[in-house]
Amino acid sequence: MMAPSYNAKEEDGHQPGATGHGGAGTMTNKKPDNTAFKQQRLPAWQPILTAGTVLPAFFVIGLIFIPIGVGLFVTSNNIKEFEIDYTGVDMSSPCYNCSQSYSWNNTQSCTCSVHFSLDQPFESNVFMYYGLSNFYQNHRRYVKSRDDSQLNGDKTSLQSPSKECEPYRSSDKPIAPCGAIANSLFNDTLELYYIDPNGSRTAIPLVKKGIAWWTDKHVKFRNPSGNNNLTVVFQGTSKPVNWRKPVFELDPLDSDNNGFINEDFIVWMRTAALPTFRKLYCIIQKKPNNMTPTLPRGEYILEVTYNYPVRSFDGRKRMILSTISWMGGKNPFLGIAYITVGSVCFCLGLVLLSIHYRYGKRNNSAEISS
Amino acid sequence: SRKVDSRTIYVGHRPCPTTEALIPPKFCDNRIVSSKYTVWNFLPKNLFEQFRRIANFYFLIIFLVQVIVDTPTSPVTSGLPLFFVITVTAIKQGYEDWLRHKADNEVNKYLVTVLEDGRRARKESEKIKVGDVVEVVEDETFPCDLILLQSSREDETCFVTTASLDGESNHKTHYTVPDTEKNLESLSATIECEQPQPDLYKFVTVFSRCVVFFRSLGPENLLLKGATLKNTQKIYGVAVYSGMETKMALNYQGKSQKRSAVEKSINAFLLVYLCILVSKALVCTTLKYVWQSRPGQDEPWYNQKTQKEKDTNLYLKMFTDFLSFMVLFNFIIPVSMYVTVEMQKFLGSFFISWDKDFFDPEIQEGALVNTSDLNEELGQVEYVFTDKTGTLTQNNMEFIECCIDGFQYKYADSGTELDGFCVTDGPVSMLQQKAGREKEELFLRALCLCHTVQVKEATGQGDGVGDGMIHPADLRGFIASSPDEVALVKGAMKYGFKFLGMESKNMRVMNRNNDVETYELLHVLNFDPVRRRMSVIVRTKSGDTMLFCKGADSSIFPRVRQEEVDRIRMHVERNATEGYRTLCVAYKLLSSEEYDQADTGLREAKLALQDREEKLMAVYNQVETGMSLIGATAVEDRLQEEAAETMEALQGAGMKVWVLTGDKMETAKSTCYACRLFQRSTELLELTVRTLHSWAKSKPVSAFSVPPRSWSSANQDYGFIIDGATLSLVLNSSPDSNSSCYKSLFLQICQNCTTVLCCRMAPLQKAQIVKMVKNSKGSPITLSIGDGANDVSMILEAHVGIGIKGREGRQAVRNSDYAIPKLKHLKKLLLGHGHLYYVRIAHLVQYFFYKNLCFILPQFLYQFFCGYSQQPLYDAAYLTMYNICFTSMPILANSLLEQHICMEVLMDNAALYRDVAKNAMLRWGPFLYWTLLGVYQGLLFFFGVRFLFSNPALQDNGQVFGNWSYGTIVFTVLVFTVTLKLAMDTRHWTWINHFVIWGSLAFYMFFSFFWGGIICNQKRVKQIKIYILSLRFVT
């Protein structure tokens, strides 16, 4: 795009009339500079691949990657994970009734209890996730249906949310928080009980703090400022259509966890990458004495307040318990990948070495091609 | 009544009293407009020009779609780069136009002196009208095309130099209109001249002083705009062509743009990618509607459509969905590739003009790059068409020997003989004998008289020669349009006959006895390439009228007595085989009747308005008959430095060298041997008029049925020689069924020969040959190299035109794509620069397609996981900046600095050039490799992260990653991989490469940290970890 006019100087041959003295003066010092750059002689490192450099590289890569892979794999295998589907698709499942009789207008909430047992004790902090399947949180219409400046506490956006929130922008008053994501906030309540061998139920304390990203909680999401009383702040707005409570009453137990900075809400608002996903529900903190495991092996009951309908789009709901290592949740993929790559490198190295050993001396040019 | 093909000009706007009332004819004014734009039309016109380019138009359409339709990416992502490109180009073009405006103004506002009603008035140049009488003083350029009316020099001539027109810096003599009155104020005359035409050397005019007095005028009376007055105090001239109608303005029409073969490959690849793009969009659109047709998928309760969406027509929606997908994937054809390719070419061409190896201390100049579009074409040349004189040879003529009346004379520097002659050999029977002294002197006089050489005056002013004082001969400079003539005059000087110069129509020659002889020059029968000879008619002091003629043997021999020819032919042929340029000299004594007849014939022909050339030619041919041959000259044209090495290298690199010359066969053949184009082992196939004749005698068959035996005879080199006359038989034979067959047969033979020599070629034939080869099967890349005006046609015709900054003016340089000072520089230009540029740009193009394929493929794959909703995988900032900031600099630096094999090795091993021949790196094979690599890596990036995200809890605090993190991880892996892929391909790591590659990665990291207020720091660590993993997949 630039070159067509590059030789414009050549084209406009109309010399000014006064300068008629020819080229005598202009020819004096046209000798090109003898600099390394202009002569394309910059000092340069010119790597030449030979068998001597390539073969060791293969072995080194193999020898480094295989242990890493094994480490990752072992770490991942040591993580304990338990997953249970409580959607209630089967007649036999405890939540079947709830899933059948569901309607948004129900004032009474439907509860169901799911029994399960853990074969192994879960040590250290245990993380409780809820998982949804076939739920397209990454659908474009859905992803963009939010108003970030409203969520960041902007007053004007609070009163007139962005057009992107349609059709969840306003009912009679502007909706706060607006948009499809907020409207479809996951609202099942999960409670976990341990059944002692003697038959008594003990509730397991679930901590709802620390489940949202730090930057989300402190930077991106902010309540509208001006008043500590959120009821006043959110005056003139209405709750999302599918919500039962307004945004400032999301957490009745902790007043600091209300409004836009409610952690459950923030977690939900970080849209998932794939249609099958999990989101952090709460943390079960390890016992302070460190003697008994956080979740000992045994029988448990999951009490579900069944509010969230998924049958209409053929979805599934799960509850997941998992411990965590330095590399996150259970994920054998990384370890396998490292081991695979490492061993492929190592094997290739062996093959090439044997080829080099057998043919390399006869034909030196083979070194370059390897 | 004015004829359409001529214009009438009234000198000084004074009509002839006899004619009817003056209707002032309308001519354009003298304003020069080279600028394209004005302040008012710049914006619309420039934008229109820019969007006429297909790529820009495509991106504009994409941008408009983004603005109009609700598309996944904001219009900024494609609008910003487009805006950037358009703005930069507009600013650049605006600046260049401003410069043009400035130059125009300087010319147009320049003050000139015009005679108006007897007064001298100062006027701005642009206000000169046709018919004005203009005064020009020394060292001024002429403001428009003028007919010279009056000069301050006594001999009614003036000197001009046309350096700015054709680069010839010698002084050319122009003559005033003969026999005009001295008083210009009262002169009333009309000039009837042709309509403006661009040929600089053609001008036919009749000057009439009110019906009663006619003079014909030619180019020697016309002063061209742009030429400069020299050695003359002032002149008066009448303007005949003005403004945009001057010959100079008509000559500055842009050259046609040449496009390189690489660009054609790019376009083919683009088409493939366009197909990929469209099919991706089609697949996605189809699948989207298939997916939506399943119950509950299109509009689940959590994701309701807006009212507007529900109301839209289904087919319209499908169409906008298709457009949206197109926009989402359009990054696969990036704007930035065009920018980068142009930048690479533009910046890369500087390395050629910077190269100090191309600097020639003699002319104090280096290489010149007229176009940067063809850099890579230099690495693809298959056929080299070279001129001989001035290109293979130096065009630095030296008088070697002569042959007078059958005796050979060779000049010996340390000759003991008084006259400087020594006879070396001759016909065996007459060894050690000399021709008669009379013949000798006649021959030398002929050399001194039969030419158009001028003597360069030492101080310029005045007639230094006229005072009788003799300048030392060594200090005298000669100026001529052809170096042969100077060599001959200098040769005669060595033998005692000095040409002293012209003095108003008299030629002064100092003979061996230091007497000055004067000859009145009556007529010059100019040289032209068709006649291949020139003559002068002079009158001696004693009143004899003589015609001296010199020319090529083929054109002289038929016009002289046969018995004289036989004595000289042997010498001429031997000289020719030795590689000398030979000329024969003949003379004729004209009787007064003969002269009168010739004189009137010449005058009439010169007066003719139409077909003047043809008429002149007829008279010339009539006069130049029945001459007697005096002798022949041999002038050596030495080979250019390293000509043989260069030719050998070119042949070693697999190029076929064709020599196209106007010279005669023997000379050209010997030059070819000297340049090692023909080896001793080369079997020569001749197809010339002579061989045709001999075949015709033996058996009446078509010439072409003779030569080809089995080409397969191993390792036999063939050389093919053809001359112009035969060639025109081949190329322009009557349009029967055989002609095309001859042509293809001829081509077939030529393509099997290592070297083809075409001699006796007219300039147009050279271009014909180039065109024929260019359009032959496989359309090979051709290169023409030449130094003279007669090479311009083939320089323009070939894919790459190279001009040599030689002695024959600057026309070749001006019309070339690259100009070099010497032939030997061709080797480095092709084998070094050309090879590197080709490899660089090929890698650049392939890499660009690759990196955008693996950029966009994950985005395509993501559609399968997001309900075909056109959700972009990457953040808008990443989408925009990927090609602009994160990955553009390393490849640009690589494509400017990469030397996969260093320059010296490339030059020493010519065979390496064959590795990249026939566009080897941009064929479908390598393209497939890069495409598959891109697909492979794209799949790997996407699915690697996909499996990683089967559990999106990737932090040690159990928090999960969202869709943007997914995109960022893919993107990070992508940026690192493509950058490191480039690093692995780099074979020449200068500090710039290091800086740019590692700097780009660092910049990306820095930017992401900065950008990701959204993104927690810990995630980044994770990404690097994951990155290292994926990199291992790649290798």
Side-chain angles (χ1 to χ4, degrees):
Chain A
M1 273 160 221
M2 297 177 169
S5 42
Y6 166 56
N7 46 11
K9 228 185 270 169
E10 187 65 18
E11 276 163 30
D12 61 24
H14 307 295
Q15 305 291 328
T19 57
H21 292 286
T26 56
M27 307 245 282
T28 44
N29 203 2
K30 273 194 183 170
K31 188 169 170 64
D33 299 341
N34 189 11
T35 56
F37 173 68
K38 288 189 174 182
Q39 300 306 324
Q40 306 193 60
R41 282 178 205 284
L42 282 177
W45 170 57
Q46 292 170 303
I48 294 167
L49 299 182
T50 60
T53 54
V54 173
L55 286 177
F58 271 99
F59 290 118
V60 167
I61 289 168
L63 290 176
I64 291 176
F65 272 50
I66 293 173
I68 292 179
V70 170
L72 286 170
F73 192 73
V74 169
T75 315
S76 171
N77 269 358
N78 285 341
I79 293 171
K80 297 189 186 72
E81 195 172 277
F82 176 81
E83 191 171 323
I84 186 164
D85 188 320
Y86 69 92
T87 323
V89 188
D90 293 333
M91 295 278 283
S92 56
S93 66
C95 291
Y96 179 72
N97 283 336
C98 285
S99 71
Q100 288 300 324
S101 63
Y102 183 75
S103 134
W104 281 112
N105 298 327
N106 270 358
T107 45
Q108 254 176 320
S109 50
C110 177
T111 55
C112 50
S113 314
V114 185
H115 288 259
F116 65 93
S117 61
L118 295 178
D119 300 335
Q120 289 172 308
F122 281 42
E123 318 264 345
S124 183
N125 283 354
V126 177
F127 295 78
M128 186 184 196
Y129 299 89
Y130 59 91
L132 293 174
S133 301
N134 204 25
F135 189 103
Y136 282 85
Q137 249 207 334
N138 57 3
H139 195 281
R140 183 160 74 96
R141 202 190 313 134
Y142 187 84
V143 169
K144 68 178 183 178
S145 185
R146 63 193 283 165
D147 185 345
D148 279 326
S149 65
Q150 189 193 48
L151 297 173
N152 198 27
D154 187 79
K155 281 263 172 63
T156 46
S157 299
L158 186 70
Q159 295 304 327
S160 58
S162 148
K163 279 208 185 65
E164 303 284 353
C165 287
E166 287 290 0
Y168 305 98
R169 191 165 165 238
S170 57
S171 43
D172 47 344
K173 287 180 277 181
I175 293 175
C178 76
I181 313 178
N183 184 62
S184 57
L185 174 68
F186 182 78
N187 58 358
D188 279 0
T189 314
L190 306 176
E191 283 163 30
L192 202 58
Y193 297 94
Y194 175 64
I195 303 183
D196 273 329
N198 57 22
S200 65
R201 276 166 40 144
T202 30
I204 293 167
L206 306 177
V207 179
K208 292 288 228 172
K209 284 217 158 189
I211 56 173
W213 288 46
W214 188 90
T215 39
D216 283 357
K217 171 114 181 159
H218 295 95
V219 181
K220 278 188 80 180
F221 289 78
R222 243 180 257 153
N223 280 326
S225 56
N227 201 321
N228 282 334
N229 190 348
L230 289 177
T231 325
V232 182
V233 172
F234 284 100
Q235 218 161 33
T237 62
S238 71
K239 68 176 178 59
V241 192
N242 288 353
W243 287 21
R244 295 172 188 216
K245 298 175 280 187
V247 66
F248 45 86
E249 288 170 10
L250 278 176
D251 191 347
L253 303 172
D254 185 354
S255 60
D256 289 339
N257 197 20
N258 270 324
F260 294 147
I261 54 168
N262 176 276
E263 291 206 18
D264 272 328
F265 174 67
I266 293 172
V267 167
W268 181 255
M269 291 303 283
R270 182 170 276 268
T271 48
L274 298 166
T276 299
F277 60 88
R278 62 172 74 172
K279 281 180 185 287
L280 190 53
Y281 186 73
C282 61
I283 303 167
I284 306 164
Q285 252 142 13
K286 61 180 175 197
K287 303 261 164 61
N289 58 16
N290 224 354
M291 293 302 286
T292 47
T294 322
L295 293 179
R297 52 181 293 199
E299 297 296 311
Y300 290 86
I301 293 177
L302 175 69
E303 285 273 354
V304 180
T305 315
Y306 201 106
N307 291 326
Y308 206 71
V310 292
R311 297 292 305 276
S312 61
F313 53 85
D314 211 14
R316 292 282 185 283
K317 296 196 282 192
R318 288 163 297 147
M319 190 280 299
I320 302 139
L321 292 170
S322 170
T323 59
I324 284 289
S325 75
W326 57 270
M327 55 165 286
K330 195 180 187 76
N331 200 338
F333 169 72
L334 266 185
I336 294 172
Y338 269 93
I339 292 172
T340 316
V341 173
S343 33
V344 164
C345 273
F346 197 82
C347 293
L348 262 176
L350 283 179
V351 170
L352 291 177
L353 182 69
S354 69
I355 290 176
H356 176 66
Y357 187 73
R358 199 172 292 171
Y359 303 105
K361 278 165 197 155
R362 254 181 265 163
N363 187 3
N364 277 330
S365 64
E367 284 184 2
I368 297 162
S369 60
S370 71
Chain B
S1 60
R2 256 177 69 213
K3 273 179 277 171
V4 194
D5 55 346
S6 69
R7 52 161 65 179
T8 310
I9 295 148
Y10 298 93
V11 175
H13 310 290
R14 283 177 294 269
C16 289
T18 50
T19 51
E20 63 268 38
L22 167 70
I23 315 143
K26 284 250 184 276
F27 300 117
C28 73
D29 61 9
N30 196 32
R31 197 209 315 251
I32 287 289
V33 185
S34 63
S35 54
K36 275 198 220 152
Y37 310 108
T38 64
V39 176
W40 308 113
N41 71 11
F42 176 74
L43 208 60
K45 200 173 168 188
N46 183 264
L47 286 183
F48 176 72
E49 291 281 324
Q50 289 203 46
F51 284 119
R52 271 185 12 182
R53 285 191 65 136
I54 192 83
N56 283 359
F57 188 69
Y58 165 78
F59 295 119
L60 180 71
I61 293 293
I62 291 286
F63 175 69
L64 289 181
V65 167
Q66 278 178 308
V67 171
I68 296 162
V69 185
D70 167 44
T71 54
T73 54
S74 99
V76 178
T77 51
S78 70
L80 198 70
L82 183 65
F83 179 75
F84 174 76
V85 169
I86 296 288
T87 316
V88 167
T89 317
I91 288 173
K92 194 163 154 283
Q93 291 181 349
Y95 174 71
E96 278 165 0
D97 206 53
W98 178 71
L99 286 184
R100 270 183 232 128
H101 269 287
K102 233 174 72 172
D104 284 354
N105 269 341
E106 224 169 299
V107 177
N108 290 335
K109 301 285 183 228
Y110 185 71
L111 287 180
V112 295
T113 311
V114 174
L115 289 190
E116 263 176 350
D117 307 323
R119 289 176 296 109
R120 297 167 77 243
R122 300 288 278 173
K123 256 194 187 179
E124 286 174 353
S125 166
E126 62 181 350
K127 295 201 173 119
I128 294 177
K129 288 190 290 292
V130 169
D132 279 349
V133 177
V134 182
E135 178 192 297
V136 180
V137 297
E138 185 169 5
D139 289 337
E140 260 186 341
T141 51
F142 303 113
C144 55
D145 289 353
L146 301 169
I147 282 185
L148 181 58
L149 292 178
Q150 211 176 77
S151 163
S152 65
R153 287 176 68 97
E154 281 168 22
D155 55 359
E156 304 207 314
T157 59
C158 74
F159 292 104
V160 301
T161 161
T162 51
S164 65
L165 284 173
D166 54 15
E168 293 170 23
S169 58
N170 56 342
H171 293 189
K172 293 183 178 121
T173 320
H174 286 249
Y175 302 92
T176 57
V177 176
D179 314 318
T180 47
E181 43 190 300
K182 290 289 159 223
N183 190 355
L184 289 178
E185 275 90 69
S186 62
L187 172 74
S188 56
T190 58
I191 294 166
E192 189 105 358
C193 61
E194 304 164 302
Q195 290 298 342
Q197 56 155 318
D199 190 340
L200 290 182
Y201 307 105
K202 207 170 163 187
F203 179 66
V204 184
T205 296
V206 170
F207 181 89
S208 70
R209 214 160 65 199
C210 298
V211 193
V212 292
F213 168 90
F214 287 100
R215 283 287 178 274
S216 77
L217 305 180
E220 70 276 8
N221 303 104
L222 184 69
L223 305 171
L224 296 177
K225 179 189 170 77
T228 311
L229 185 64
K230 290 284 179 191
N231 282 1
T232 314
Q233 268 168 332
K234 67 178 174 184
I235 58 110
Y236 290 96
V238 58
V240 283
Y241 303 124
S242 58
M244 300 312 284
E245 292 179 346
T246 58
K247 285 182 183 282
M248 182 174 110
L250 290 173
N251 264 293
Y252 280 106
Q253 267 134 15
K255 298 177 283 186
S256 68
Q257 189 119 40
K258 291 181 182 174
R259 294 253 151 246
S260 78
V262 167
E263 209 153 316
K264 284 174 203 143
S265 300
I266 297 180
N267 286 340
F269 297 164
L270 270 183
L271 219 61
V272 172
Y273 271 68
L274 204 65
C275 290
I276 294 179
L277 172 64
V278 171
S279 51
K280 271 183 181 175
L282 277 176
V283 164
C284 281
T285 317
T286 320
L287 287 177
K288 175 175 182 158
Y289 284 87
V290 170
W291 181 78
Q292 283 184 353
S293 65
R294 276 163 52 201
Q297 298 287 34
D298 186 22
E299 206 180 357
W301 64 263
Y302 57 85
N303 193 10
Q304 301 282 316
K305 290 179 184 172
T306 59
Q307 197 56 43
K308 205 175 121 207
E309 262 179 282
K310 284 177 186 163
D311 293 345
T312 326
N313 177 290
L314 175 71
Y315 295 103
L316 183 68
K317 229 158 63 183
M318 279 183 170
F319 182 65
T320 52
D321 273 329
F322 174 74
L323 288 182
S324 296
F325 281 120
M326 288 278 285
V327 167
L328 187 66
F329 304 141
N330 89 81
F331 297 91
I332 203 169
I333 302 174
V335 192
S336 60
M337 187 178 79
Y338 283 89
V339 183
T340 315
V341 167
E342 297 288 0
M343 292 240 285
Q344 194 269 350
K345 289 183 171 185
F346 178 71
L347 298 175
S349 64
F350 282 110
F351 283 118
I352 294 180
S353 47
W354 282 337
D355 196 322
K356 73 175 163 46
D357 291 348
F358 292 156
F359 182 76
D360 187 54
E362 209 174 297
I363 57 171
Q364 288 289 306
E365 270 179 85
L368 176 76
V369 181
N370 284 335
T371 172
S372 57
D373 284 340
L374 300 172
N375 294 341
E376 66 276 5
E377 207 88 329
L378 293 172
Q380 288 295 301
V381 177
E382 288 170 64
Y383 284 88
V384 174
F385 297 95
T386 167
D387 177 41
K388 189 182 81 69
T389 316
T391 308
L392 287 178
T393 60
Q394 285 184 346
N395 204 14
N396 183 7
M397 307 294 170
E398 202 174 330
F399 188 91
I400 294 296
E401 60 179 42
C402 60
C403 152
I404 302 170
D405 207 19
F407 299 93
Q408 194 181 18
Y409 292 78
K410 204 162 211 162
Y411 181 73
D413 270 327
S414 55
T416 46
E417 283 174 82
L418 241 170
D419 56 16
F421 266 118
C422 80
V423 182
T424 48
D425 63 348
V428 186
S429 57
M430 290 187 264
L431 198 70
Q432 295 301 327
Q433 287 183 33
K434 280 194 192 182
R437 187 173 178 84
E438 207 174 301
K439 274 273 166 79
E440 269 178 37
E441 289 191 349
L442 184 66
F443 178 78
L444 294 173
R445 280 199 187 95
L447 290 189
C448 281
L449 293 171
C450 184
H451 58 73
T452 53
V453 175
Q454 287 161 28
V455 176
K456 198 196 260 167
E457 288 166 32
T459 46
Q461 310 287 348
D463 298 353
V465 200
D467 54 11
M469 200 189 91
I470 313 298
H471 293 278
D474 311 49
L475 296 183
R476 191 178 300 257
F478 295 106
I479 305 162
S481 46
S482 145
D484 294 69
E485 294 203 313
V486 178
L488 291 180
V489 172
K490 281 188 175 162
M493 203 158 75
K494 284 187 205 163
Y495 296 140
F497 275 75
K498 290 193 183 104
F499 173 63
L500 297 178
M502 295 278 292
E503 190 178 305
S504 64
K505 297 248 158 189
N506 289 322
M507 295 180 99
R508 293 150 46 82
V509 174
M510 192 167 70
N511 63 16
R512 285 189 191 161
N513 307 330
N514 282 353
D515 295 331
V516 176
E517 301 170 7
T518 23
Y519 298 87
E520 189 190 349
L521 180 63
L522 298 169
H523 285 286
V524 176
L525 283 60
N526 278 321
F527 178 84
D528 66 71
V530 184
R531 259 166 65 240
R532 303 181 58 83
R533 60 180 180 269
M534 64 118 10
S535 307
V536 289
I537 301 175
V538 292
R539 179 171 287 147
T540 60
K541 268 272 171 60
S542 54
D544 294 330
T545 314
M546 294 176 88
L547 176 130
F548 290 106
C549 179
K550 71 167 195 277
D553 48 13
S554 62
S555 68
I556 298 279
F557 285 168
R559 297 174 174 274
V560 296
R561 282 190 289 279
Q562 217 43 48
E563 65 271 16
E564 293 168 340
V565 170
D566 297 334
R567 269 184 280 166
I568 287 182
R569 171 173 282 151
M570 199 191 91
H571 287 278
V572 172
E573 281 178 1
R574 202 196 52 216
N575 283 340
T577 43
E578 278 165 15
Y580 299 138
R581 298 159 69 87
T582 56
L583 283 177
C584 293
V585 183
Y587 88 107
K588 177 184 179 184
L589 208 59
L590 291 171
S591 66
S592 59
E593 296 87 56
E594 274 177 318
Y595 174 67
D596 285 344
Q597 199 189 343
D599 187 45
T600 43
L602 286 170
R603 273 172 206 282
E604 263 170 31
K606 276 185 185 168
L607 265 179
L609 252 190
Q610 261 135 19
D611 307 326
R612 184 185 287 176
E613 255 93 276
E614 286 80 2
K615 284 175 186 163
L616 273 176
M617 198 78 74
V619 181
Y620 288 167
N621 284 334
Q622 193 193 327
V623 177
E624 293 165 336
T625 44
M627 301 177 288
S628 49
L629 192 62
I630 329 170
T633 57
V635 171
E636 188 190 13
D637 191 1
R638 251 178 278 150
L639 282 187
Q640 289 273 10
E641 313 164 40
E642 295 172 36
E645 289 83 351
T646 309
M647 288 299 133
E648 221 165 31
L650 295 189
Q651 289 196 325
M655 285 176 244
K656 300 216 164 113
V657 181
W658 291 35
V659 180
L660 311 183
T661 176
D663 232 323
K664 66 175 96 33
M665 195 186 95
E666 288 74 20
T667 322
K669 205 156 95 180
S670 62
T671 310
C672 284
Y673 274 117
C675 294
R676 283 178 238 161
L677 284 172
F678 290 157
Q679 312 283 347
R680 289 293 151 205
S681 61
T682 308
E683 186 170 339
L684 293 185
L685 308 168
E686 279 183 32
L687 188 66
T688 57
V689 182
R690 208 175 60 202
T691 53
L692 279 184
H693 277 305
S694 59
W695 287 332
K697 271 177 213 157
S698 59
K699 43 182 172 170
V701 289
S702 158
F704 280 109
S705 60
V706 184
R709 286 181 296 270
S710 66
W711 290 107
S712 52
S713 58
N715 296 331
Q716 173 67 56
D717 276 345
Y718 288 96
F720 189 69
I721 304 175
I722 189 168
D723 64 359
T726 324
L727 188 73
S728 68
L729 282 180
V730 174
L731 296 182
N732 311 322
S733 52
S734 57
D736 58 6
S737 56
N738 279 340
S739 69
S740 63
C741 153
Y742 284 155
K743 205 164 159 178
S744 68
L745 193 58
F746 169 65
L747 201 61
Q748 216 180 323
I749 296 168
C750 289
Q751 284 171 344
N752 280 303
C753 295
T754 43
T755 304
V756 175
L757 167 63
C758 304
C759 40
R760 297 285 197 221
M761 301 283 279
L764 213 63
Q765 276 184 317
K766 294 186 177 183
Q768 260 182 317
I769 292 254
V770 175
K771 195 173 182 178
M772 185 182 75
V773 173
K774 195 169 94 173
N775 296 333
S776 68
K777 209 175 115 238
S779 44
I781 307 294
T782 56
L783 175 142
S784 290
I785 178 162
D787 72 323
N790 60 342
D791 305 318
V792 168
S793 59
M794 75 171 180
I795 285 176
L796 289 177
E797 183 65 49
H799 290 104
V800 189
I802 310 256
I804 290 207
K805 298 178 169 180
R807 293 156 178 265
E808 289 189 24
R810 288 248 146 177
Q811 256 159 317
V813 170
R814 197 181 285 273
N815 287 293
S816 64
D817 304 309
Y818 300 89
I820 46 178
K822 286 274 167 62
L823 178 78
K824 62 175 178 181
H825 299 140
L826 191 63
K827 184 176 165 189
K828 188 173 185 187
L829 191 65
L830 297 185
L831 302 189
H833 287 282
H835 189 141
L836 286 182
Y837 279 122
Y838 176 73
V839 172
R840 287 169 182 173
I841 201 132
H843 186 249
L844 167 72
V845 168
Q846 300 278 27
Y847 177 78
F848 239 97
F849 280 115
Y850 146 79
K851 92 178 156 98
N852 282 293
L853 184 63
C854 58
F855 174 49
I856 283 307
L857 192 68
Q859 181 136 294
F860 168 69
L861 294 170
Y862 192 56
Q863 299 309 308
F864 293 82
F865 295 88
C866 71
Y868 312 96
S869 59
Q870 301 126 23
Q871 172 62 26
L873 178 61
Y874 312 113
D875 192 272
Y878 288 152
L879 273 176
T880 315
M881 293 176 69
Y882 175 69
N883 272 316
I884 298 179
C885 305
F886 299 142
T887 59
S888 63
M889 288 318 283
I891 181 63
L892 182 63
N894 176 279
S895 67
L896 285 172
L897 303 168
E898 175 69 349
Q899 293 180 35
H900 64 298
I901 303 171
C902 65
M903 200 77 107
E904 288 74 29
V905 180
L906 281 177
M907 305 239 309
D908 292 342
N909 303 292
L912 288 172
Y913 194 82
R914 295 172 194 243
D915 291 352
V916 295
K918 300 223 178 258
N919 212 0
M921 291 180 71
L922 287 172
R923 305 190 138 251
W924 292 108
F927 177 69
L928 203 66
Y929 160 74
W930 282 98
T931 307
L932 290 180
L933 186 70
V935 170
Y936 165 68
Q937 293 188 355
L939 289 172
L940 209 66
F941 299 156
F942 183 80
F943 286 106
V945 182
R946 162 76 188 76
F947 286 122
L948 199 67
F949 264 63
S950 53
N951 181 357
L954 290 169
Q955 296 184 58
D956 56 2
N957 58 7
Q959 294 168 357
V960 294
F961 283 2
N963 66 323
W964 296 116
S965 319
Y966 188 108
T968 310
I969 294 173
V970 174
F971 190 78
T972 310
V973 176
L974 169 78
V975 168
F976 272 81
T977 310
V978 296
T979 309
L980 289 186
K981 166 73 186 156
L982 184 71
M984 288 172 73
D985 284 349
T986 303
R987 290 276 166 278
H988 191 81
W989 285 84
T990 65
W991 66 267
I992 300 175
N993 293 87
H994 281 290
F995 177 76
V996 167
I997 286 180
W998 311 127
S1000 274
L1001 291 180
F1003 172 74
Y1004 168 69
M1005 303 295 283
F1006 177 77
F1007 176 85
S1008 292
F1009 277 121
F1010 203 67
W1011 183 250
I1014 336 153
I1015 301 158
C1016 158
N1017 287 3
Q1018 285 169 321
K1019 200 188 97 200
R1020 193 60 46 177
V1021 181
K1022 209 60 69 163
Q1023 283 175 3
I1024 297 165
K1025 237 167 20 195
I1026 295 156
Y1027 163 69
I1028 295 165
L1029 154 82
S1030 309
L1031 174 72
R1032 293 325 317 162
F1033 274 116
V1034 172
T1035 42

